[in-house]
Amino acid sequence: MKKIFKILAYAIGVFLVFVICGIAFVNFTYPKVSPALELTIDHGPDRVARGAYLANHVVVCVDCHSTRDFSLLSGPIKPGTIGEGGELFDHSMGFPGVFYSKNITPTGISDYSDGELFRLITTGVTNDGRAMFPIMPYPYYGKMDPEDIYDIIAYIRTLDPIESEIPDSKADFPVSLILKTIPKDADPQTKPAKTDQIAYGGYLVNAASCGECHSPVDAQGTRLPGKDYSGGREFSFPDGSVVRSANLTPDASTGIGSWSEDTFVGKFKQYLDSGYHLPKVQPGEFNTIMPWVMYAGMEESDLKAIYAYIKTLTPIPNQVVKFSPPVTSE
């Protein structure tokens, strides 16, 4: 019996050594990305204007890096908070830890070079070598045309500086270890010509990371294979209500298969109508995280390109219950 215990203790000891060595290996060798490039990005008016368009209406960086007012439908940005950061993403929303968006005004990024910002946005690695949790969908941004990323960097350098104290983000174990292995070198793509509408629409869909929100995921947050863009991903509000993303595939009964181009574009543009006012939303009532007001500023030609692309997707039947109110105890 003693011999069995000795063997068992030896086996456990060897196992623990392997575990400790594995953790140490990941901690000291990841994230594995190339050094930041030597970049100096000009802040010319054309580049800044393009960056403002992308950051506010396509990639919508400003969406997460500002304060949203969820007392109104779709949570428009509160005036005076653009780029200040501090938005909380935690367990109540289904995240494996507590994460805060960073201050991306000149105050918050003053210690970043242009090359370090480019690497951060496209690989998720900070200037001190830390891996970011991919709430900011950097795997998508890493596939964008570098010129578009340069434009975004030029734009955020011109934001009004805002002083804000942002707590450190903290992932739960073992996610804290796993996320170190997520960053990879960017795989930049050349932006298709606008005349190639479907290809250009696909580029915009990636830039806007539509698939990230509009695809169902498992309990670990991994997208379900064969279900891309079919909707149903759940997003919890602090009050316990749950909103689910829409099915974007061209399925006739549960997706947008019956939508015309005008219907699709109009769905966005209604939020720019001077006669439309975002309704007030009380806790427990339907709301959405979809930043409609921001996407409404997208150029019609870009919205039409997105429509053309998603109409080429494989139709996937998936009836989505878009909202569940909080469960109340009697």
Side-chain angles (χ1 to χ4, degrees):
M1 183 65 72
K2 288 183 179 180
K3 185 175 182 181
I4 293 175
F5 278 121
K6 284 183 179 180
I7 293 172
L8 183 60
Y10 176 77
I12 292 173
V14 170
F15 173 75
L16 289 175
V17 168
F18 273 107
V19 169
I20 292 169
C21 288
I23 291 174
F25 175 78
V26 172
N27 272 324
F28 287 108
T29 60
Y30 286 87
K32 253 186 213 182
V33 297
S34 299
L37 300 173
E38 292 292 333
L39 286 177
T40 301
I41 299 170
D42 73 88
H43 297 170
D46 290 344
R47 192 178 283 285
V48 171
R50 172 70 177 170
Y53 172 69
L54 291 170
N56 285 278
H57 304 301
V58 180
V59 182
V60 294
C61 319
V62 175
D63 168 47
C64 288
H65 290 278
S66 306
T67 300
R68 297 175 66 180
D69 181 5
F70 280 104
S71 70
L72 297 173
L73 182 69
S74 83
I77 291 173
K78 292 182 178 180
T81 70
I82 290 180
E84 74 175 5
E87 283 290 276
L88 171 64
F89 305 86
D90 63 5
H91 301 94
S92 70
M93 304 169 74
F95 289 98
V98 179
F99 307 96
Y100 297 89
S101 64
K102 297 303 182 183
N103 183 334
I104 60 169
T105 73
T107 301
I109 59 174
S110 61
D111 60 341
Y112 273 82
S113 69
D114 287 344
E116 288 170 339
L117 274 178
F118 181 84
R119 187 179 72 163
L120 175 68
I121 294 169
T122 59
T123 73
V125 177
T126 65
N127 61 355
D128 58 358
R130 289 180 294 108
M132 292 179 59
F133 188 79
I135 295 173
M136 183 180 80
Y138 51 81
Y140 298 87
Y141 301 159
K143 296 177 182 178
M144 290 176 63
D145 191 312
E147 289 296 326
D148 278 345
I149 304 298
Y150 299 162
D151 293 343
I152 291 170
I153 292 172
Y155 166 66
I156 63 176
R157 294 281 195 200
T158 69
L159 292 175
D160 290 335
I162 299 177
E163 296 281 350
S164 60
E165 292 292 328
I166 310 297
D168 290 333
S169 297
K170 185 174 179 61
D172 298 335
F173 184 83
V175 175
S176 56
L177 195 65
I178 295 170
L179 73 84
K180 292 175 180 287
T181 68
I182 296 175
K184 294 178 175 56
D185 279 339
D187 180 25
Q189 309 293 313
T190 300
K191 181 169 50 185
K194 286 192 173 186
T195 52
D196 188 350
Q197 191 182 44
I198 292 175
Y200 183 64
Y203 176 83
L204 293 174
V205 164
N206 172 78
S209 56
C210 304
E212 188 65 19
C213 288
H214 286 274
S215 301
V217 297
D218 61 20
Q220 287 71 47
T222 303
R223 284 165 64 166
L224 300 179
K227 299 292 185 181
D228 287 349
Y229 301 101
S230 65
R233 183 166 186 173
E234 295 189 346
F235 299 91
S236 300
F237 282 93
D239 63 12
S241 59
V242 176
V243 65
R244 300 173 185 85
S245 58
N247 184 344
L248 294 186
T249 73
D251 180 67
S253 58
T254 66
I256 66 163
S258 63
W259 289 31
S260 68
E261 180 184 79
D262 286 345
T263 301
F264 182 81
V265 172
K267 176 68 174 176
F268 290 83
K269 289 299 182 182
Q270 65 177 321
Y271 295 93
L272 284 187
D273 190 307
S274 59
Y276 180 83
H277 299 285
L278 291 171
K280 295 283 290 183
V281 177
Q282 299 300 322
E285 295 180 343
F286 170 76
N287 207 338
T288 177
I289 66 167
M290 176 77 167
W292 284 111
V293 174
M294 301 188 76
Y295 286 133
M298 207 182 303
E299 296 172 2
E300 284 198 19
S301 61
D302 284 358
L303 286 169
K304 289 177 179 179
I306 290 174
Y307 173 80
Y309 172 76
I310 61 180
K311 288 289 279 188
T312 68
L313 298 174
T314 301
I316 301 175
N318 184 27
Q319 187 66 55
V320 175
V321 177
K322 68 178 182 179
F323 180 73
S324 297
V327 176
T328 57
S329 56
E330 294 295 334

